[in-house]
Amino acid sequence: MGETEELEYDENMISLLEAVWGEGFMSPGGTDEVDRILGNKDLSQAKVLDIGCGIGGAAVHIALTRQPNSVTGIDIEENLVNLALELAKKNNVSAICDFQRVEPGPLPFEPGSFDVVFSKDSIIHIADKFSLAEDAYQLLSPGGWFLASDWLCGYEGEPSPQMQAYIDAEGLDFDLASAKTYQQAFEAAGFVDIECEERNAWYRIQARVERDNLAGPLYDELVSRVGEDFLSREIDVWNKMINVLDSGEHRPTLLRAQKKL
Ligand SMILES: C[S@@+](CC[C@H](N)C(=O)[O-])C[C@H]1O[C@@H](n2cnc3c(N)ncnc32)[C@H](O)[C@@H]1O
């Protein structure tokens, strides 16, 4: 990203997302959701890559709780990587948890560098799911796991006007794909044991709690930090998101797949 380009996740957005989702998180569910993605997979001594690490909450949680060999978080926004580095330092895990800014596109690591490729709600920003699956497959060691959550869509083709209104309101660079597309991309890359676990039922309820927190207990404190206009716009985004969670067009999903041994 060039210096003149606008940040997708600026200071106001980070303040708001951390207020709703917890320190270090720019996506729903916090550490509980990270644990759900990882399930009972053994990460001890694993080399873990976190694609789209944001401000580091998930990577630091993995470093603190799963005894990995290393966690490498990558992101395209330098401001986020710097905050992630600070979070690792604050939690005394800098020795095993590092963060790097990368350019969008093929990832700058040798084949077989990682035992787990993790990602939380970030690959929505990567348009070509087939190239992403191929890259992840190459980066994994034999038997390694791709373990992620992402925001999928419940339709093929064009979004409904209601869904388009939500995507426009978010104003972020979203490239939503269906579970079928992910399944095909993982299969084409050579993954086995591919699982897509729906989280729509959970997030439909949780998103209402988040919206009510934004409009209620968090409101005054957030207005003083991000301003009333910004906060009102974000509450409107949440309302539009709840509409498409209810219609099933917005489908948060956990994705798991294994590289053949
Ligand atoms: C919704 S945030 C999630 C961040 C973090 N995983 C979390 O759960 O808190 C999406 C992240 O993906 C990053 N991102 C967008 N495009 C990317 C790309 N091509 N490669 C790596 N990261 C990317 C964004 O900068 C942002 O930090």
Side-chain angles (χ1 to χ4, degrees), residues 1-8 76-77 103-104:
M1 165 169 301
E3 277 174 31
T4 51
E5 278 181 74
E6 231 176 81
L7 296 172
E8 287 229 314
I76 57 169
E77 294 200 12
E103 293 297 327

PDB file of all heavy atoms in Angstrom, residues 1-8 76-77 103-104:
ATOM      1  N   MET A   1       0.839  -1.196   0.000  1.00  0.00           N
ATOM      2  CA  MET A   1       0.000   0.000   0.000  1.00  0.00           C
ATOM      3  C   MET A   1       0.872   1.244   0.000  1.00  0.00           C
ATOM      4  O   MET A   1       1.777   1.377   0.815  1.00  0.00           O
ATOM      5  CB  MET A   1      -0.898  -0.041   1.234  1.00  0.00           C
ATOM      6  CG  MET A   1      -1.539   1.273   1.549  1.00  0.00           C
ATOM      7  SD  MET A   1      -2.813   1.134   2.792  1.00  0.00           S
ATOM      8  CE  MET A   1      -3.932  -0.005   2.061  1.00  0.00           C
ATOM      9  N   GLY A   2       0.651   2.172  -0.918  1.00  0.00           N
ATOM     10  CA  GLY A   2       1.442   3.398  -0.980  1.00  0.00           C
ATOM     11  C   GLY A   2       1.054   4.352   0.139  1.00  0.00           C
ATOM     12  O   GLY A   2      -0.019   4.246   0.703  1.00  0.00           O
ATOM     13  N   GLU A   3       1.951   5.321   0.425  1.00  0.00           N
ATOM     14  CA  GLU A   3       1.698   6.213   1.556  1.00  0.00           C
ATOM     15  C   GLU A   3       0.481   7.086   1.358  1.00  0.00           C
ATOM     16  O   GLU A   3      -0.145   7.527   2.303  1.00  0.00           O
ATOM     17  CB  GLU A   3       2.915   7.103   1.771  1.00  0.00           C
ATOM     18  CG  GLU A   3       3.983   6.409   2.592  1.00  0.00           C
ATOM     19  CD  GLU A   3       5.234   7.223   2.680  1.00  0.00           C
ATOM     20  OE1 GLU A   3       5.144   8.454   2.663  1.00  0.00           O
ATOM     21  OE2 GLU A   3       6.304   6.605   2.754  1.00  0.00           O
ATOM     22  N   THR A   4       0.135   7.359   0.100  1.00  0.00           N
ATOM     23  CA  THR A   4      -0.977   8.273  -0.144  1.00  0.00           C
ATOM     24  C   THR A   4      -2.325   7.556  -0.122  1.00  0.00           C
ATOM     25  O   THR A   4      -3.353   8.183  -0.054  1.00  0.00           O
ATOM     26  CB  THR A   4      -0.821   8.949  -1.520  1.00  0.00           C
ATOM     27  OG1 THR A   4      -0.605   7.915  -2.477  1.00  0.00           O
ATOM     28  CG2 THR A   4       0.331   9.923  -1.531  1.00  0.00           C
ATOM     29  N   GLU A   5      -2.299   6.224  -0.175  1.00  0.00           N
ATOM     30  CA  GLU A   5      -3.569   5.496  -0.162  1.00  0.00           C
ATOM     31  C   GLU A   5      -4.207   5.564   1.216  1.00  0.00           C
ATOM     32  O   GLU A   5      -3.533   5.572   2.227  1.00  0.00           O
ATOM     33  CB  GLU A   5      -3.324   4.031  -0.526  1.00  0.00           C
ATOM     34  CG  GLU A   5      -3.223   3.830  -2.017  1.00  0.00           C
ATOM     35  CD  GLU A   5      -3.003   2.367  -2.330  1.00  0.00           C
ATOM     36  OE1 GLU A   5      -3.969   1.602  -2.196  1.00  0.00           O
ATOM     37  OE2 GLU A   5      -1.873   2.014  -2.670  1.00  0.00           O
ATOM     38  N   GLU A   6      -5.545   5.612   1.224  1.00  0.00           N
ATOM     39  CA  GLU A   6      -6.259   5.679   2.494  1.00  0.00           C
ATOM     40  C   GLU A   6      -6.214   4.336   3.208  1.00  0.00           C
ATOM     41  O   GLU A   6      -6.318   3.288   2.573  1.00  0.00           O
ATOM     42  CB  GLU A   6      -7.714   6.012   2.188  1.00  0.00           C
ATOM     43  CG  GLU A   6      -8.228   7.172   2.995  1.00  0.00           C
ATOM     44  CD  GLU A   6      -9.636   7.513   2.579  1.00  0.00           C
ATOM     45  OE1 GLU A   6     -10.536   6.816   3.061  1.00  0.00           O
ATOM     46  OE2 GLU A   6      -9.802   8.452   1.775  1.00  0.00           O
ATOM     47  N   LEU A   7      -6.051   4.383   4.525  1.00  0.00           N
ATOM     48  CA  LEU A   7      -6.062   3.145   5.294  1.00  0.00           C
ATOM     49  C   LEU A   7      -7.491   2.621   5.372  1.00  0.00           C
ATOM     50  O   LEU A   7      -8.418   3.384   5.619  1.00  0.00           O
ATOM     51  CB  LEU A   7      -5.567   3.417   6.721  1.00  0.00           C
ATOM     52  CG  LEU A   7      -4.123   3.885   6.868  1.00  0.00           C
ATOM     53  CD1 LEU A   7      -3.846   4.289   8.304  1.00  0.00           C
ATOM     54  CD2 LEU A   7      -3.180   2.772   6.428  1.00  0.00           C
ATOM     55  N   GLU A   8      -7.671   1.305   5.188  1.00  0.00           N
ATOM     56  CA  GLU A   8      -9.010   0.737   5.370  1.00  0.00           C
ATOM     57  C   GLU A   8      -9.375   0.734   6.847  1.00  0.00           C
ATOM     58  O   GLU A   8     -10.507   0.940   7.222  1.00  0.00           O
ATOM     59  CB  GLU A   8      -9.046  -0.690   4.838  1.00  0.00           C
ATOM     60  CG  GLU A   8      -9.014  -0.769   3.339  1.00  0.00           C
ATOM     61  CD  GLU A   8     -10.091  -1.672   2.778  1.00  0.00           C
ATOM     62  OE1 GLU A   8     -10.266  -2.783   3.303  1.00  0.00           O
ATOM     63  OE2 GLU A   8     -10.754  -1.269   1.806  1.00  0.00           O
ATOM     64  N   ILE A  76      -1.232  -6.201   5.450  1.00  0.00           N
ATOM     65  CA  ILE A  76      -0.804  -5.235   4.427  1.00  0.00           C
ATOM     66  C   ILE A  76      -0.743  -3.811   4.972  1.00  0.00           C
ATOM     67  O   ILE A  76      -0.282  -2.918   4.286  1.00  0.00           O
ATOM     68  CB  ILE A  76      -1.725  -5.286   3.189  1.00  0.00           C
ATOM     69  CG1 ILE A  76      -3.180  -5.022   3.578  1.00  0.00           C
ATOM     70  CG2 ILE A  76      -1.589  -6.611   2.475  1.00  0.00           C
ATOM     71  CD1 ILE A  76      -4.092  -4.784   2.379  1.00  0.00           C
ATOM     72  N   GLU A  77      -1.240  -3.596   6.197  1.00  0.00           N
ATOM     73  CA  GLU A  77      -1.267  -2.229   6.732  1.00  0.00           C
ATOM     74  C   GLU A  77      -0.239  -2.085   7.864  1.00  0.00           C
ATOM     75  O   GLU A  77      -0.330  -2.774   8.885  1.00  0.00           O
ATOM     76  CB  GLU A  77      -2.670  -1.863   7.215  1.00  0.00           C
ATOM     77  CG  GLU A  77      -3.652  -1.800   6.053  1.00  0.00           C
ATOM     78  CD  GLU A  77      -4.920  -1.001   6.332  1.00  0.00           C
ATOM     79  OE1 GLU A  77      -4.983  -0.293   7.349  1.00  0.00           O
ATOM     80  OE2 GLU A  77      -5.846  -1.101   5.519  1.00  0.00           O
ATOM     81  N   GLU A 103       3.184  -7.110   0.944  1.00  0.00           N
ATOM     82  CA  GLU A 103       2.389  -6.605  -0.175  1.00  0.00           C
ATOM     83  C   GLU A 103       1.264  -7.599  -0.430  1.00  0.00           C
ATOM     84  O   GLU A 103       1.441  -8.807  -0.212  1.00  0.00           O
ATOM     85  CB  GLU A 103       3.256  -6.522  -1.441  1.00  0.00           C
ATOM     86  CG  GLU A 103       4.351  -5.492  -1.385  1.00  0.00           C
ATOM     87  CD  GLU A 103       3.829  -4.067  -1.243  1.00  0.00           C
ATOM     88  OE1 GLU A 103       2.734  -3.774  -1.781  1.00  0.00           O
ATOM     89  OE2 GLU A 103       4.498  -3.263  -0.577  1.00  0.00           O
ATOM     90  N   PRO A 104       0.085  -7.142  -0.889  1.00  0.00           N
ATOM     91  CA  PRO A 104      -0.952  -8.105  -1.277  1.00  0.00           C
ATOM     92  C   PRO A 104      -0.410  -9.005  -2.378  1.00  0.00           C
ATOM     93  O   PRO A 104       0.406  -8.562  -3.184  1.00  0.00           O
ATOM     94  CB  PRO A 104      -2.079  -7.218  -1.830  1.00  0.00           C
ATOM     95  CG  PRO A 104      -1.783  -5.838  -1.364  1.00  0.00           C
ATOM     96  CD  PRO A 104      -0.309  -5.751  -1.126  1.00  0.00           C
TER      97      PRO A 104
END
